Amino acid sequence: MRDLSAPRKVATLREVAEAAGVSIATVSKVVNGRFEGMTASTRERVEAAVRELAYRPNRAGRSLRSARQSRIGMLIVDPSPRFLVDPFITNLVAGISNEVSMRGYGLLLSRIDPEEPESSYIVKGQEADALAVLLSGTAPEREHLLARLAELRHPMVVFQQAMPGGVEDVCTVRQDDVGGARQMARRILERRPSRALCLLPRQRWPAIEARLQGFEEVLAPAGVTLSQLRCDEGDMEGALDALREHLAAGPLPDVIIGTNDRLAVVAVEVLQAMGHKVPEDVGVSGFNAFPFTTPLRPRLATVRSPAYRLGELGARLLIERIEQGAFATRETVVPVELVEGESL
Amino acid sequence: MRDLSAPRKVATLREVAEAAGVSIATVSKVVNGRFEGMTASTRERVEAAVRELAYRPNRAGRSLRSARQSRIGMLIVDPSPRFLVDPFITNLVAGISNEVSMRGYGLLLSRIDPEEPESSYIVKGQEADALAVLLSGTAPEREHLLARLAELRHPMVVFQQAMPGGVEDVCTVRQDDVGGARQMARRILERRPSRALCLLPRQRWPAIEARLQGFEEVLAPAGVTLSQLRCDEGDMEGALDALREHLAAGPLPDVIIGTNDRLAVVAVEVLQAMGHKVPEDVGVSGFNAFPFTTPLRPRLATVRSPAYRLGELGARLLIERIEQGAFATRETVVPVELVEGESL
DNA sequence: ATGAAAGCGCTAACAC
DNA sequence: GTGTTAGCGCTTTCAT
């Protein structure tokens, strides 16, 4: 029986060269598709040997020599170990993953602790050529973390937030949260509400703050009283209770604004359980709808998120940056789309 | 302005050694925590230089030398680019990701095309020390793919399916789908149904087949007629239509068995829209419930999936395999838990 | 207690 | 057209 603990033996350039009766330089050229001025017979002999020995280039050797890892690192700052449950993150990562694969790169995925980013595998060694990052936390917390990440001197794409100051070789990609919120707010105004309640997750995300800003910009001047309730998304039942209590304590709002769909579903749930009709008594709006994830009924008035596209775009920008030497764009904002629904 | 295309310059062992006035061998020892028989002052001088120069070991150099990548590759065979939308996959990957990070490894994530697994980044080079794989497709398709993956001679953990024959250095980790389905079937029998409809996704997954088997094993002997309907999960509206048509065409079943929660939600939706009461007229059951993902109302009778744990477990087994030289276990089955709900 | 040196697999500049 | 060779950064053995 073969010793399983020994690293399996894989053919090297040298072995292929020997088998084909050529030098390793020639094999290297063949493997890398540089056939200029090479006999067809040499090429064929080498290709045969490559196939014969099932040769696959050793990435470590290649990377060491070329100082290129052909890997993108994705860092997600989220306090929850279940970070991937968030459909925005999930769609974003899917977009990045597919784009990166298509272009021959690998994707390293890691959630990181905002307190000690250096402890991350991706950050510790020089594992990736470039970084894609999604940050949560307050503005100063994010700024601080970005500054530390910038010390790695990797090109970076930062998702879902505006261009940070003081860091170079960075590019941002985000959806138009402010614009989407403004649009939704205008739609809400058609109900002529006098008070609105905005439901926010406890964890701070720049995109959520942007949405809040958009809602305020439109609703406040129209004389709508906008109150806020933060609840822990990580605990749906807890969120239900928190909202129930809040509603019991004061006058019923005319509309409840979920800053994401999950919170909007909670709102519909609580309202119906309390005997209020949606949308007759209270309107409900959501945000960030995704294919296959959005609840079926009542169809939520919400905003479609282009998270998957953001991922593709960010990955593309990053790889172009690596290969061309500079970012083509510094800031990308992708429009969002209002989705009508009977909840409003 | 610095030339951004040039690979950023990071301190090397040699530079740290010069700065500390020692040899690179000594620096290497310090960096790797091998202090035996080393002067405190030497160690301190080196540590100071490491800090000063912000030294981080180059992974390529290290990997080349040690033939260890300290990376786990996760391969997911799923025809959909949105593969990460599936909450099972998402929870599984989260578990793997966190476990792997904790143990100082990196996670390479990639969806692969079952037709040409060799085209995957992870597979092409020797990127990872070991592979975690989740396969879809029919049994022969999966077997064929596994055989090709086995040629890479990587230790592998295969999730959600039974031990494949003919491959060595493999270990399986799965939830008890058959058992869960049997339990749910017994719960369903309490309704004394005469006909049941089983809703299946179009894409073949071994876990789904296992559930189907569990349901059949219990329902058929009890005289329940079990029919099947496959519908495309990738298109919720399409699934709604398909089920609506199916129900209109024949007698109403007493219970609809969703082989996952998404399909169960579709069933509830269609039934209610057709004016049938759930659970009075028709009972509905789901499968694979996850925290924060499961729909709120009506509370689904379903089965809780330990996907996150499966991920942690698989990652742990893989890393122990890498470090100890052999798998501690070959086959792990994690029990599932029935969740009561008013849908049944 | 510390250092010198070999060599992991690969690419590319240059020699023939 | 093809081969020789230096060297990327690191770990480890063996001298001293």
Side-chain angles (χ1 to χ4, degrees):
Chain A
M1 183 164 169
R2 185 170 73 92
D3 175 10
L4 292 179
S5 74
R8 76 220 161 280
K9 186 57 190 153
V10 172
T12 69
L13 266 194
R14 168 161 279 102
E15 289 162 342
V16 176
E18 256 161 45
V22 297
S23 76
I24 61 167
T26 302
V27 180
S28 174
K29 281 177 196 146
V30 171
V31 166
N32 291 296
R34 312 188 56 77
F35 305 120
E36 42 250 45
M38 183 179 295
T39 322
S41 89
T42 308
R43 173 175 169 181
E44 274 158 28
R45 236 163 347 120
V46 173
E47 282 171 341
V50 163
R51 240 173 298 122
E52 175 67 25
L53 300 178
Y55 172 75
R56 287 171 305 132
N58 177 298
R59 168 70 59 184
R62 206 176 240 193
S63 288
L64 183 55
R65 177 61 227 227
S66 64
R68 285 275 160 91
Q69 322 306 130
S70 294
R71 255 173 263 133
I72 298 294
M74 168 92 206
L75 294 176
I76 298 174
V77 176
D78 189 324
S80 164
R82 304 269 177 157
F83 63 112
L84 275 178
V85 170
D86 182 325
F88 178 89
I89 296 183
T90 262
N91 278 274
L92 185 76
V93 174
I96 296 176
S97 167
N98 289 326
E99 182 71 20
V100 144
S101 291
M102 235 185 50
R103 294 174 178 256
Y105 281 68
L107 176 66
L108 278 169
L109 177 66
S110 178
R111 181 171 70 92
I112 64 169
D113 184 344
E115 298 311 318
E116 31 179 357
E118 281 77 6
S119 77
S120 149
Y121 170 87
I122 297 181
V123 173
K124 266 192 317 218
Q126 296 139 68
E127 310 286 347
D129 298 318
L131 254 34
V133 305
L134 180 65
L135 302 177
S136 63
T138 64
E141 284 167 355
R142 294 188 328 256
E143 200 182 330
H144 178 237
L145 184 55
L146 271 177
R148 293 179 74 173
L149 290 178
E151 284 166 18
L152 302 178
R153 324 236 62 184
H154 277 126
M156 270 197 286
V157 161
V158 186
F159 288 104
Q160 290 295 78
Q161 69 164 48
M163 198 58 184
V167 272
E168 48 170 298
D169 208 6
V170 166
C171 134
T172 63
V173 175
R174 65 187 192 276
Q175 66 187 31
D176 185 10
D177 285 296
V178 177
R182 283 201 202 112
Q183 267 185 272
M184 179 60 82
R186 275 184 230 111
R187 179 76 186 66
I188 288 171
L189 279 185
E190 293 171 14
R191 291 179 58 103
R192 312 218 151 277
S194 63
R195 64 181 90 247
L197 172 63
C198 191
L199 241 43
L200 303 139
R202 175 131 13 245
Q203 177 67 9
R204 308 287 161 136
W205 291 94
I208 298 277
E209 310 294 320
R211 285 168 216 166
L212 185 56
Q213 182 200 324
F215 286 119
E216 276 170 344
E217 275 177 23
V218 173
L219 297 180
V224 181
T225 312
L226 185 65
S227 50
Q228 301 177 17
L229 177 63
R230 293 212 175 250
C231 43
D232 190 355
E233 255 196 318
D235 168 21
M236 288 298 243
E237 296 296 331
L240 284 170
D241 291 342
L243 178 57
R244 192 159 21 224
E245 255 176 57
H246 182 94
L247 291 182
L252 197 66
D254 303 300
V255 52
I256 298 185
I257 300 171
T259 46
N260 68 40
D261 275 12
R262 230 143 27 137
L263 291 170
V265 168
V266 166
V268 169
E269 196 45 51
V270 169
L271 288 167
Q272 291 180 341
M274 291 175 83
H276 302 300
K277 288 224 161 85
V278 176
E280 293 84 346
D281 303 337
V282 183
V284 173
S285 75
F287 215 104
N288 271 18
F290 299 96
F292 327 138
T293 306
T294 304
L296 286 168
R297 293 291 183 278
R299 241 184 295 242
L300 225 43
T302 183
V303 171
R304 189 167 291 131
S305 165
Y308 185 88
R309 284 241 56 226
L310 296 183
E312 285 185 322
L313 224 75
R316 170 131 33 102
L317 286 167
L318 227 34
I319 291 173
E320 282 170 3
R321 159 66 187 82
I322 294 169
E323 292 176 354
Q324 335 272 292
F327 277 119
T329 343
R330 303 302 307 279
E331 202 152 8
T332 306
V333 179
V334 177
V336 296
E337 189 196 341
L338 214 65
V339 181
E340 293 291 335
E342 59 256 20
S343 73
L344 199 62
Chain B
M1 183 163 169
R2 186 169 75 91
D3 175 11
L4 292 179
S5 74
R8 74 215 163 284
K9 187 58 189 150
V10 172
T12 68
L13 265 194
R14 168 161 277 100
E15 288 163 341
V16 175
E18 256 162 45
V22 298
S23 75
I24 61 167
T26 303
V27 180
S28 174
K29 281 175 198 148
V30 171
V31 166
N32 292 297
R34 311 187 58 76
F35 305 120
E36 41 249 46
M38 184 177 295
T39 322
S41 89
T42 307
R43 175 176 167 180
E44 274 157 29
R45 242 172 334 129
V46 173
E47 283 172 341
V50 164
R51 241 173 297 121
E52 175 67 25
L53 299 177
Y55 172 76
R56 288 171 304 132
N58 177 298
R59 170 71 59 185
R62 206 175 240 193
S63 288
L64 183 55
R65 176 61 226 229
S66 63
R68 283 274 160 92
Q69 323 305 130
S70 294
R71 256 174 264 133
I72 298 294
M74 168 91 207
L75 295 175
I76 298 174
V77 176
D78 189 323
S80 164
R82 304 269 177 158
F83 63 113
L84 275 178
V85 170
D86 183 324
F88 178 88
I89 296 184
T90 262
N91 278 275
L92 185 75
V93 174
I96 297 176
S97 167
N98 289 326
E99 183 70 18
V100 143
S101 291
M102 235 184 50
R103 295 175 177 254
Y105 280 69
L107 176 66
L108 278 168
L109 177 67
S110 179
R111 182 172 69 93
I112 64 169
D113 184 344
E115 299 310 320
E116 30 179 356
E118 281 77 5
S119 77
S120 151
Y121 170 88
I122 298 181
V123 173
K124 266 190 318 216
Q126 296 140 67
E127 310 286 347
D129 298 318
L131 255 33
V133 306
L134 179 65
L135 303 177
S136 63
T138 64
E141 284 167 353
R142 296 190 325 259
E143 200 182 330
H144 178 237
L145 185 55
L146 271 178
R148 293 178 75 172
L149 290 178
E151 285 166 18
L152 301 179
R153 326 235 62 183
H154 278 127
M156 270 198 286
V157 161
V158 186
F159 288 104
Q160 290 294 80
Q161 69 164 50
M163 197 62 183
V167 271
E168 49 169 296
D169 208 6
V170 166
C171 134
T172 63
V173 175
R174 65 187 192 275
Q175 66 189 31
D176 185 10
D177 286 297
V178 177
R182 283 200 202 113
Q183 267 186 272
M184 178 62 81
R186 274 183 231 112
R187 179 76 186 67
I188 287 170
L189 280 185
E190 292 171 16
R191 290 180 58 102
R192 315 217 149 278
S194 63
R195 65 180 89 247
L197 171 63
C198 191
L199 241 42
L200 303 138
R202 174 130 15 244
Q203 177 67 10
R204 307 288 162 137
W205 291 95
I208 297 277
E209 311 294 322
R211 285 168 216 167
L212 185 55
Q213 183 201 322
F215 285 119
E216 276 170 345
E217 276 177 22
V218 173
L219 297 180
V224 180
T225 313
L226 185 64
S227 51
Q228 301 178 17
L229 177 63
R230 293 213 175 249
C231 42
D232 191 354
E233 256 197 316
D235 169 20
M236 288 297 243
E237 295 297 331
L240 284 170
D241 291 343
L243 178 57
R244 192 160 20 226
E245 255 177 57
H246 183 94
L247 291 183
L252 197 65
D254 303 299
V255 52
I256 299 185
I257 299 171
T259 47
N260 68 39
D261 274 12
R262 238 157 4 153
L263 292 169
V265 168
V266 165
V268 170
E269 196 44 52
V270 168
L271 288 167
Q272 290 181 341
M274 292 175 83
H276 303 300
K277 287 225 162 85
V278 175
E280 293 84 347
D281 303 339
V282 183
V284 173
S285 75
F287 215 103
N288 271 16
F290 299 96
F292 328 138
T293 305
T294 303
L296 287 167
R297 293 293 183 277
R299 242 184 295 242
L300 225 43
T302 181
V303 171
R304 190 166 292 132
S305 164
Y308 185 89
R309 285 239 57 225
L310 296 182
E312 286 184 321
L313 224 76
R316 171 131 33 104
L317 286 167
L318 227 33
I319 291 173
E320 282 170 4
R321 159 65 187 83
I322 293 169
E323 293 176 354
Q324 334 272 292
F327 278 117
T329 343
R330 302 302 308 279
E331 201 152 9
T332 307
V333 179
V334 177
V336 296
E337 189 196 342
L338 214 64
V339 180
E340 293 291 335
E342 59 256 19
S343 74
L344 200 62

